[in-house]
Amino acid sequence: MPQRAAAQARPAAPLKPGTELKPAKRPVKSPRLADNSAPIAFALVKGAPDSCGPGCDSWIAAEGKIDGGAAARLRKFIKQIGDRKLPIYFNSPGGNLEQALAMGNLLREKKAVVRVGRTTLRECGFEPQEGEACTRLKQAGRELHGEVWTRGAICNSACPYIILGAPNRELAPDVTLAVHSPRVILNFTGGVPTREMRAQAMQRAMERSDKMVLDYITRLGADPTLLTVARSVPFEGMRILTREEIARFALDRRERVESPWMFEAASRGIAYKTVLNRKDGEASFRTTRLQLVCFDQDRFELDVERKAGTGATLAMVSGDLRLNFLSPPRRAGDLERWGLFLNGSQMKALASLPGAGLSDAPPNTVSPGVSTFPVGNDGLQNALKKLMESCPPSKAVVYPSGLPVPWTQSSSPQASAR
């Protein structure tokens, strides 16, 4: 994808879960798409090798508002692609509740794998991904080409009920799911109803809606508290679900969730990934974020951000490879950030491995009982390739003697990791 087009697809800033979003008095950036979002469209998309997971290069993009014909279009689309077992990535502000439940039932019937993610299409060129021209491409029904992103992707309102219906649910650590009360639209015929008549009709409609959702949740074996949380928020607001709630409500019960390495072309190219994990007996998930940047094509910095107080040292280890982070880490509140400098050879060696581990054991310590925190390298080679293409050419570091000195941790600018 051209660098400019990738920059247009830059994900939104992550939002804090567990809070209620309320409408503002003036327009502001929001995780919800505009109310005039196009009806949800389904597109077959092909990407690079392993772009949607190991061995996966094609997926179904489901993007837009859930309208009155969404379930019928999904059934027709699935029939058109035949027996291909492809993951479905949803990116939707929500919409029609009954259609969402029907779609969830269909996905359960088809034993589908569902995820949340934004698809950017190469065929759109420099056109906005949510623009009319790009929307028409998504609705054309032909195979397209693109990339899928999780950071900044949303599944709000009625959309989480679709996810809940599928038997295989995989939600990346950096997506947003949010719920609220349904909006009921009343239509009266034969005269103007009184206020009392409207109130009674509204109550009956809400009771019917609640029963419909509760029956759906119960049949799926999920926690009915999901409905309680949704009903606690007015339709005008939005309650972002925490990762603990996502697990509790059976939207994704995994105790460890790891995103692939992704490249983002912003003002400065970066590669990043996020890992969420929760050990047996723990109530909360722990977040570990990794970010890779370059100074040039032979000088890189890897940062690890996690909860403070985990250990006095940190190293990236894999087999005979051991790369020590600078100590002590930089601290901000209850978080610590560790920095590690790598040259091009070290970076390529790390990317060629299937995975590595973060170890708090001091160097040269023989401690068989010391465990490492595993970090997969899924997507790292592709992200590193794009990162290097965005970096300036490497330059030799020349000292007063006139002899170039190779990049090493001892000759790295300390301020860059602090």
Side-chain angles (χ1 to χ4, degrees):
M1 176 182 290
Q3 184 172 338
R4 180 179 170 190
Q8 289 178 336
R10 185 172 61 185
L15 296 159
K16 183 178 179 181
T19 58
E20 180 183 346
L21 298 179
K22 298 181 179 179
K25 294 182 180 179
R26 56 184 179 180
V28 295
K29 291 183 179 180
S30 165
R32 298 178 63 188
L33 301 180
D35 288 338
N36 61 350
S37 297
I40 192 167
F42 307 98
L44 177 60
V45 184
K46 186 176 180 62
D50 302 327
S51 54
C52 49
C56 176
D57 65 358
S58 298
W59 64 93
I60 298 170
E63 306 213 352
K65 194 170 184 178
I66 305 165
D67 64 308
R73 289 200 304 278
L74 176 59
R75 184 176 292 276
K76 179 180 178 181
F77 181 86
I78 291 177
K79 185 177 181 179
Q80 287 176 340
I81 64 173
D83 295 331
R84 299 184 67 178
K85 302 296 184 182
L86 303 177
I88 306 177
Y89 285 86
F90 283 89
N91 187 45
S92 172
N96 188 300
L97 179 59
E98 291 187 76
Q99 290 292 304
L101 302 187
M103 293 168 70
N105 287 326
L106 174 59
L107 295 176
R108 192 166 193 83
E109 172 190 328
K110 298 297 182 181
K111 298 180 172 57
V113 175
V114 295
R115 301 168 182 166
V116 175
R118 300 175 303 113
T119 296
T120 57
L121 299 178
R122 297 174 194 169
E123 284 85 351
C124 292
F126 296 139
E127 294 291 330
Q129 291 289 323
E130 293 80 19
E132 291 185 9
C134 200
T135 298
R136 286 196 296 271
L137 278 173
K138 295 174 184 177
Q139 297 171 340
R142 63 185 179 91
E143 183 177 84
L144 301 168
H145 302 82
E147 295 179 316
V148 63
W149 305 75
T150 54
R151 188 158 73 167
I154 64 169
C155 180
N156 293 347
S157 184
C159 179
Y161 298 115
I162 301 177
I163 304 297
L164 190 61
N168 303 294
R169 307 178 290 276
E170 301 171 354
L171 303 178
D174 46 7
V175 301
T176 296
L177 276 75
V179 295
H180 61 180
S181 293
R183 178 176 63 177
V184 175
I185 300 176
L186 300 176
N187 294 309
F188 292 90
T189 58
V192 179
T194 64
R195 180 178 299 181
E196 182 179 356
M197 292 170 61
R198 292 186 63 86
Q200 291 176 349
M202 179 65 73
Q203 182 178 353
R204 288 194 299 269
M206 291 301 295
E207 289 174 351
R208 175 182 174 274
S209 172
D210 287 351
K211 184 179 184 305
M212 180 173 60
V213 174
L214 186 59
D215 289 347
Y216 178 81
I217 292 175
T218 303
R219 181 163 44 83
L220 297 174
D223 189 337
T225 312
L226 173 59
L227 176 59
T228 305
V229 171
R231 292 286 279 113
S232 69
V233 183
F235 174 80
E236 295 78 12
M238 195 71 75
R239 171 68 153 73
I240 300 175
L241 300 179
T242 65
R243 193 72 206 191
E244 291 75 19
E245 289 171 331
I246 287 174
R248 176 186 175 188
F249 301 147
L251 289 158
D252 187 342
R253 285 192 166 127
R254 292 177 296 170
E255 297 294 285
R256 179 184 172 89
V257 186
E258 184 171 353
S259 72
W261 282 94
M262 295 292 296
F263 172 76
E264 177 182 330
S267 56
R268 180 183 187 183
I270 63 170
Y272 60 88
K273 75 172 297 161
T274 304
V275 183
L276 297 178
N277 75 298
R278 183 170 63 175
K279 298 180 181 178
D280 291 342
E282 292 183 342
S284 302
F285 282 84
R286 299 187 182 190
T287 304
T288 302
R289 295 186 176 91
L290 296 92
Q291 178 175 289
L292 179 67
V293 298
C294 66
F295 302 101
D296 59 40
Q297 294 181 3
D298 195 47
R299 299 187 298 169
F300 301 85
E301 180 178 342
L302 175 64
D303 290 328
V304 173
E305 183 182 81
R306 63 181 188 177
K307 187 176 181 180
T310 307
T313 63
L314 185 67
M316 181 74 76
V317 295
S318 181
D320 296 332
L321 177 67
R322 181 185 178 96
L323 301 170
N324 296 314
F325 287 79
L326 297 178
S327 182
R330 181 173 55 192
R331 295 185 179 242
D334 63 346
L335 297 177
E336 61 184 18
R337 173 172 287 192
W338 297 79
L340 166 65
F341 292 109
L342 305 95
N343 59 33
S345 298
Q346 291 171 323
M347 191 64 250
K348 290 177 182 177
L350 183 62
S352 67
L353 300 170
L358 296 174
S359 173
D360 289 292
N364 305 318
T365 299
V366 180
S367 303
V370 174
S371 62
T372 59
F373 182 80
V375 177
N377 281 356
D378 181 24
L380 181 55
Q381 289 202 33
N382 186 48
L384 178 60
K385 179 178 180 294
K386 294 181 179 180
L387 179 62
M388 293 187 71
E389 290 172 351
S390 72
C391 294
S394 58
K395 296 180 181 179
V397 180
V398 179
Y399 280 72
S401 63
L403 297 176
V405 177
W407 176 266
T408 63
Q409 289 191 32
S410 60
S411 64
S412 301
Q414 297 293 313
S416 298
R418 303 294 301 149

